[in-house]
Structures are given as C-alpha cells and as structure tokens.
Amino acid sequence: MADVREDDTREQDVLDDLLTDDDAARPARGRRTGRRIVGWSIAALLVAVVAAAALLALDALRARDALAEAVPLVQAAEQQLEADPTADVDLAHLQDLTTTARTSTDGPLWWLAARLPGLGADVHAVSVSADAVDVVTHDVLPPLLAARDGVDLAALRPVDGRVDLAPIQAAAPLVREASDALAGVVADVAALDPAELRGAVAGPVESLQAGLATLDEQLTSARAVTTVLPPLLGADGEQRYLVLFLTNSELRSAGGIPGALAVLTADDGRVALTDQVSTADVGPFDDPVPGLAPEDAEIFGDRPARYIQDTTMLPDFPSAASLAATMWEASGRGAVDGVISVDPVALSYVLTSTGPVDVPGGRIDADGAVDLLLSGAYAMFPEPAQQDEFFAGVSAAVFGSALGGAVDPSLLATAVERAAQEHRINVWSRDADLQADLVGLGVGGSLAAEPAASGVFLNDGTGAKLDYYLDVETTSVAACAADADAVTLTRTVTLTSSVPADVAQLPWYVLGSAGAGSLEPGVLRTNVAIYSPAGGSIDSIARDGVVIGGDVHDDGAGRQVTVVTVELAPGESTTLTVTTSGAAGAGGTWMTPTARHGGDAAVATCG
C-alpha cells in the first residue's frame, strides 16, 4: 500500500507542475532544458551567420583578385584602342576575370548583406562596381574593337583630296551599341556616394566613376563624329556650305564681323573651297530678309536681316547662320545646305597642326596668324576689298593645307576641338537631325539648346577695327539655393582698352567712325548684351560698383536681355558685375570670343 501511495504522490506532483503558471514552482531541470534549446538555436544561428560571412569573404576575395587583375587590363585595352588600333587585346581572358568578379558578388547572400546596417553600402558598391566592369568587357569593348578602324583618326587622313567615309559609316552602329551599353552602368556607378563608403571601397569607387565618365565622354564624341561626318562630308550627295571668315577686330556676339565669304563643297568625302567673295558682294538689302525673330529685332534692330556683316550680332549661331544663308541665296549665288564660321584664332590653332603655310605675300604660322589677320593686314591693305581678298586667300591656304593629307589627323582634331570649346568654330545645317548631332558634338553654337546658360555678348559700336585692342577678363561665382532648385550667378567682366595713345599711327580704316568724328579718335564703344538663363532673370548690373539699369527685353525663349553701352578711351578699364538667377542645372556662361579671350564656358550647377 505504501508503494501505491508513493506512485500517486509522484503523479500528482507532475499534474501540479503541468497546471501551475508559476515558473518558480517548476522543476529546475525543465528550465535548464528550455535554456539549452534556446542556446542551441542561437548557436546554430551564429554558425549560419559565420558560415555566410565566410562565404561572403571567400566571394569577396575571389572578386578582389579577379578585379585586381582585370582593371589594369581594361585600362590597357582602352589605351591600346586610343593609341594603337592594331594592338591585340586578350578579350576572352578579360571577360573570364570580370565574370568571376561579377558572379562572386551576386546572389542571395550579397543581396541580404547589402541591406545590413553599417555594411550594406559597401557591399552594394562592390556588387555594382563588379557588374559595371563586366559590362565594359562584354558589351562595350567588343563593338569598339570591331569598330576601331572606323574610329581611328588616321582613317580621316585625306588621300588624293578625299576622306574614305566607308570605315566611318561602318563604325557608327558599333559605336552606338557600345555607347548604349555603357550608359546604364555609368548611371548606376555615378549613383554611388563615396562619402557613405569605407576608405578601402570609396577610393576604388571614385576611380571607377572617373574612368567610366571619361570613357562615356569619349564614346559620346565618337558616336557624334561617326554620325555627323558622313552626311556632313557628302556621303549622301554633294553638300554646299557658306563659310563666314570672322574677324575679332570688329566684334559681334558670335565672334566677329564676317570679313570674307566662301563656299565649301563636300561630295563623298572630297572637300573643296570655292566661290570666295567679299562681304560687299552680298547685300545690303533695302528690306530685311525673312527669318529675323521679332524679339531679336527689338534687341538689335533690323541690321542682322539687312547686312550680312551684322548677322552674327545674334548670339545664337543657327539664327545668324540661317539669315546669312538667306542673304547668300537672295544675292543669286545658289542654295547652301549649311553655314560654317571660323575666326583667325581658330585658324592659328589649325596652323599648329599644319605648320607654316604659304599665303599671298609670304608665309603664315601659328604664332603670327592672329596679329597678321587682325592688325597687320589693315596696314598692308588699306582698302576693305583688298583686306577681304587677303583674308579669303589666307583661309583658303590654311584649309588647303589641312585637307591636303599631310597633317596628322589627331593634331588637327585637337586644334578643332579647342576652337569649338571656345566657340570659334560653329556649324549649322538645314537638316534638323544633323543639326541636333552638331549641337551634341559641341560645334552647333546653339544658345537656344542650352536653356540654363547665361551670356555676355559684345558688339562693336565704334564702326571700326579697334577690338583687336580690347582685353577681356571674366570670373563667375555660383550660389545655390538651400533647396538646390535655383542658382544665382555673379559674373564680373573687365574690359580694358589697349589702343595706342598715339592713335594717329593707326590706319583710317581701323579707326572707323572714331576717326570720322562721331567719337574721339581711339575711343572704343562696345554694346554689351547681357542674357539671363531661360526662365530666369537679370537681378542687377553694376559698373565699377555703381548700379546701372537698362531696358529689359525678352528674347522669345524666356531669357531677359539688357544691353549696356560702354565707351573706353585708350588705356581705360571698366568692370561690369552682373547677377542673374535661373533654375538649377548645368549651364554654360557664354561669352563672345575675342582676339585673346575664348568664349567662356564655365559651368554653374546645383543639386
């Protein structure tokens, strides 16, 4: 009976344990078992995390080793493409390495790790970077290698006066394919913020961002060139371009007054300069030719539509070029497909690639071209018609040398690029698609295509050739709104006259109106046209610290325009301080290129 009672007691104890809610009343053994289960779970989780970290570490090491070997090879391949188009590139090996890097930084573990606080940004940056380099080797380099004969500048060297357009045309779709493939990864890598990354990751990411941006810029240029050159050089039939040879000694907004004219013909890659005439042979017109916008007429009067010499008063080159083409045709000289402008400074840049060139009356080189064309010629040839003939002869000689086939195309391309960046060479085409490509290439001269740009443009008001002696200095400072939605640009423009004190030594034609009595001899009168960004405003204008005003016009594209007239005696200087406001974004600060100052293209950005 005693044994039965003991069994009943144990059963009751168990029931009591099961029914009680008091943890303290439960046996210690049960609590120990529960803690073991929790401990085992935590241990298992830790083991899983350690295992995952180990796998990530192994992946990261594989990716690091592959990228360490691949990146220099990618850079070498890019250099070989640029410097030695015949060089062999071990593309298959490169692709194996970058595939290893990409696959080693992809998958569920990397996806999860990229979302961990403190570590996620670095993991994500490594994955994005590995993917970008893999895209370069698989989708960018192959079409570029296939297209390298067409993008090689040596292919642009004329043979017997003709550029072979076939390789360039064949390269165009391949360059477009490479450019499209690169665009996505450039955006992905650019979105990474190095400030959020550890130093070991931030440095390589910044280097990759810079490298991809450079490659993207080069591809964009190559794409534009392979797209633009064939139609521009007559791949689809003869093209005729009116060439305006501008002179910076009498300034106009777009660079200078046209001093001579010619027609450049291009047919299946063969280029020739013909029909050289003086500007006196075109117009003036009693009635304005059609095409001048009413807003431009309000700012500049109707002279740009009556005198071909004044078409370039308009800072937007397509607008000026269209009027010049209309005048040329109205003079009975035939239709043209586009217009090109070039100034003496641009010709001097071209001469750095051609070397000295024989011209009427002697030889001209890069160092002496500007002085000869903007000053010496007026002493050599007192009559305007003789000057125009000389300008045309020099321009034809330089063009002929550049197109003769003996010039290194890479040197010529560098010279043209420099001139285009300073707005000294502009090209306009009637073909809207081609014109859009020209603007994208940076030679379209279209102020209208850059709505965020502001401008300061100089037009001679002396009726003389004294602007050779006008020195210009300019600075720009941008201040961004707190919300980064707007930018205020403060710009200083200092104009200094270096006209000789003894103006009597200057030819009458150089003194112009000043020598005829409307101004004191040697005085420089300049009409300064100030443009705000589109949709923006001109907030203030000061001259030498004193606020000045002026009529405010609308250019038809939402820009405010004010014209200020400045007169300078020999040796005198003045500073204009201009403040404009506009929407945030990249916007050039355009300016008229002068004999010694290029068209300013500094950039103000916000955000």
Side-chain angles (χ1 to χ4, degrees), residues 157-159 353-355 400-409 411:
R157 189 188 300 273
V159 177
S353 64
T354 66
S401 179
L403 297 172
V407 178
D408 182 342
L411 294 178

PDB file of all heavy atoms in Angstrom, residues 157-159 353-355 400-409 411:
ATOM      1  N   ARG A 157      42.578  60.792 -92.555  1.00  0.00           N
ATOM      2  CA  ARG A 157      43.596  61.451 -93.373  1.00  0.00           C
ATOM      3  C   ARG A 157      43.176  61.393 -94.840  1.00  0.00           C
ATOM      4  O   ARG A 157      42.977  60.303 -95.402  1.00  0.00           O
ATOM      5  CB  ARG A 157      44.946  60.767 -93.194  1.00  0.00           C
ATOM      6  CG  ARG A 157      46.097  61.527 -93.839  1.00  0.00           C
ATOM      7  CD  ARG A 157      47.380  60.693 -93.794  1.00  0.00           C
ATOM      8  NE  ARG A 157      47.780  60.379 -92.428  1.00  0.00           N
ATOM      9  CZ  ARG A 157      48.531  61.174 -91.676  1.00  0.00           C
ATOM     10  NH1 ARG A 157      48.960  62.320 -92.167  1.00  0.00           N
ATOM     11  NH2 ARG A 157      48.860  60.813 -90.449  1.00  0.00           N
ATOM     12  N   PRO A 158      43.033  62.535 -95.492  1.00  0.00           N
ATOM     13  CA  PRO A 158      42.626  62.516 -96.907  1.00  0.00           C
ATOM     14  C   PRO A 158      43.689  61.862 -97.784  1.00  0.00           C
ATOM     15  O   PRO A 158      44.886  62.027 -97.571  1.00  0.00           O
ATOM     16  CB  PRO A 158      42.472  64.006 -97.256  1.00  0.00           C
ATOM     17  CG  PRO A 158      42.341  64.705 -95.933  1.00  0.00           C
ATOM     18  CD  PRO A 158      43.154  63.903 -94.973  1.00  0.00           C
ATOM     19  N   VAL A 159      43.229  61.128 -98.758  1.00  0.00           N
ATOM     20  CA  VAL A 159      44.098  60.530 -99.769  1.00  0.00           C
ATOM     21  C   VAL A 159      43.639  61.063-101.116  1.00  0.00           C
ATOM     22  O   VAL A 159      42.471  60.891-101.500  1.00  0.00           O
ATOM     23  CB  VAL A 159      44.023  58.990 -99.747  1.00  0.00           C
ATOM     24  CG1 VAL A 159      44.886  58.407-100.859  1.00  0.00           C
ATOM     25  CG2 VAL A 159      44.461  58.460 -98.383  1.00  0.00           C
ATOM     26  N   SER A 353      48.814  72.424 -86.259  1.00  0.00           N
ATOM     27  CA  SER A 353      48.856  71.060 -86.789  1.00  0.00           C
ATOM     28  C   SER A 353      49.427  70.997 -88.200  1.00  0.00           C
ATOM     29  O   SER A 353      50.029  70.003 -88.580  1.00  0.00           O
ATOM     30  CB  SER A 353      47.446  70.441 -86.776  1.00  0.00           C
ATOM     31  OG  SER A 353      46.569  71.140 -87.643  1.00  0.00           O
ATOM     32  N   THR A 354      49.250  72.068 -88.981  1.00  0.00           N
ATOM     33  CA  THR A 354      49.737  72.051 -90.368  1.00  0.00           C
ATOM     34  C   THR A 354      51.171  72.532 -90.487  1.00  0.00           C
ATOM     35  O   THR A 354      51.890  72.174 -91.418  1.00  0.00           O
ATOM     36  CB  THR A 354      48.866  72.944 -91.262  1.00  0.00           C
ATOM     37  OG1 THR A 354      49.014  74.314 -90.846  1.00  0.00           O
ATOM     38  CG2 THR A 354      47.409  72.538 -91.189  1.00  0.00           C
ATOM     39  N   GLY A 355      51.605  73.385 -89.535  1.00  0.00           N
ATOM     40  CA  GLY A 355      52.875  74.064 -89.693  1.00  0.00           C
ATOM     41  C   GLY A 355      52.684  75.299 -90.558  1.00  0.00           C
ATOM     42  O   GLY A 355      51.566  75.603 -91.007  1.00  0.00           O
ATOM     43  N   GLY A 400      43.380  74.440 -97.344  1.00  0.00           N
ATOM     44  CA  GLY A 400      44.007  73.534 -98.304  1.00  0.00           C
ATOM     45  C   GLY A 400      45.090  72.695 -97.681  1.00  0.00           C
ATOM     46  O   GLY A 400      45.219  71.499 -97.955  1.00  0.00           O
ATOM     47  N   SER A 401      45.878  73.302 -96.790  1.00  0.00           N
ATOM     48  CA  SER A 401      46.930  72.557 -96.106  1.00  0.00           C
ATOM     49  C   SER A 401      46.337  71.508 -95.174  1.00  0.00           C
ATOM     50  O   SER A 401      46.816  70.373 -95.112  1.00  0.00           O
ATOM     51  CB  SER A 401      47.820  73.521 -95.316  1.00  0.00           C
ATOM     52  OG  SER A 401      48.828  72.833 -94.632  1.00  0.00           O
ATOM     53  N   ALA A 402      45.269  71.888 -94.453  1.00  0.00           N
ATOM     54  CA  ALA A 402      44.644  70.952 -93.507  1.00  0.00           C
ATOM     55  C   ALA A 402      44.010  69.776 -94.226  1.00  0.00           C
ATOM     56  O   ALA A 402      43.984  68.653 -93.701  1.00  0.00           O
ATOM     57  CB  ALA A 402      43.602  71.683 -92.675  1.00  0.00           C
ATOM     58  N   LEU A 403      43.506  70.013 -95.442  1.00  0.00           N
ATOM     59  CA  LEU A 403      42.819  68.957 -96.184  1.00  0.00           C
ATOM     60  C   LEU A 403      43.744  68.224 -97.154  1.00  0.00           C
ATOM     61  O   LEU A 403      43.300  67.328 -97.867  1.00  0.00           O
ATOM     62  CB  LEU A 403      41.646  69.560 -96.973  1.00  0.00           C
ATOM     63  CG  LEU A 403      40.530  70.204 -96.128  1.00  0.00           C
ATOM     64  CD1 LEU A 403      39.538  70.935 -97.036  1.00  0.00           C
ATOM     65  CD2 LEU A 403      39.821  69.162 -95.285  1.00  0.00           C
ATOM     66  N   GLY A 404      45.030  68.591 -97.138  1.00  0.00           N
ATOM     67  CA  GLY A 404      45.940  68.038 -98.130  1.00  0.00           C
ATOM     68  C   GLY A 404      46.417  66.629 -97.849  1.00  0.00           C
ATOM     69  O   GLY A 404      47.018  65.994 -98.712  1.00  0.00           O
ATOM     70  N   GLY A 405      46.218  66.114 -96.643  1.00  0.00           N
ATOM     71  CA  GLY A 405      46.600  64.744 -96.342  1.00  0.00           C
ATOM     72  C   GLY A 405      47.925  64.602 -95.636  1.00  0.00           C
ATOM     73  O   GLY A 405      48.269  63.518 -95.170  1.00  0.00           O
ATOM     74  N   ALA A 406      48.694  65.699 -95.526  1.00  0.00           N
ATOM     75  CA  ALA A 406      49.998  65.603 -94.876  1.00  0.00           C
ATOM     76  C   ALA A 406      49.926  65.913 -93.382  1.00  0.00           C
ATOM     77  O   ALA A 406      50.926  65.814 -92.680  1.00  0.00           O
ATOM     78  CB  ALA A 406      50.979  66.578 -95.542  1.00  0.00           C
ATOM     79  N   VAL A 407      48.750  66.265 -92.893  1.00  0.00           N
ATOM     80  CA  VAL A 407      48.584  66.659 -91.495  1.00  0.00           C
ATOM     81  C   VAL A 407      48.190  65.446 -90.652  1.00  0.00           C
ATOM     82  O   VAL A 407      47.391  64.604 -91.093  1.00  0.00           O
ATOM     83  CB  VAL A 407      47.497  67.759 -91.380  1.00  0.00           C
ATOM     84  CG1 VAL A 407      47.271  68.140 -89.927  1.00  0.00           C
ATOM     85  CG2 VAL A 407      47.900  68.972 -92.200  1.00  0.00           C
ATOM     86  N   ASP A 408      48.748  65.376 -89.450  1.00  0.00           N
ATOM     87  CA  ASP A 408      48.363  64.329 -88.508  1.00  0.00           C
ATOM     88  C   ASP A 408      46.916  64.606 -88.067  1.00  0.00           C
ATOM     89  O   ASP A 408      46.649  65.637 -87.436  1.00  0.00           O
ATOM     90  CB  ASP A 408      49.294  64.356 -87.297  1.00  0.00           C
ATOM     91  CG  ASP A 408      48.983  63.245 -86.289  1.00  0.00           C
ATOM     92  OD1 ASP A 408      47.880  62.679 -86.335  1.00  0.00           O
ATOM     93  OD2 ASP A 408      49.855  62.968 -85.449  1.00  0.00           O
ATOM     94  N   PRO A 409      45.967  63.706 -88.387  1.00  0.00           N
ATOM     95  CA  PRO A 409      44.564  63.971 -88.045  1.00  0.00           C
ATOM     96  C   PRO A 409      44.330  64.178 -86.553  1.00  0.00           C
ATOM     97  O   PRO A 409      43.440  64.934 -86.166  1.00  0.00           O
ATOM     98  CB  PRO A 409      43.841  62.715 -88.542  1.00  0.00           C
ATOM     99  CG  PRO A 409      44.724  62.159 -89.607  1.00  0.00           C
ATOM    100  CD  PRO A 409      46.119  62.464 -89.154  1.00  0.00           C
ATOM    101  N   LEU A 411      46.332  65.694 -84.414  1.00  0.00           N
ATOM    102  CA  LEU A 411      46.686  67.076 -84.103  1.00  0.00           C
ATOM    103  C   LEU A 411      45.629  68.036 -84.622  1.00  0.00           C
ATOM    104  O   LEU A 411      45.272  69.007 -83.947  1.00  0.00           O
ATOM    105  CB  LEU A 411      48.050  67.426 -84.719  1.00  0.00           C
ATOM    106  CG  LEU A 411      49.268  66.680 -84.166  1.00  0.00           C
ATOM    107  CD1 LEU A 411      50.530  67.101 -84.917  1.00  0.00           C
ATOM    108  CD2 LEU A 411      49.422  66.947 -82.668  1.00  0.00           C
TER     109      LEU A 411
END
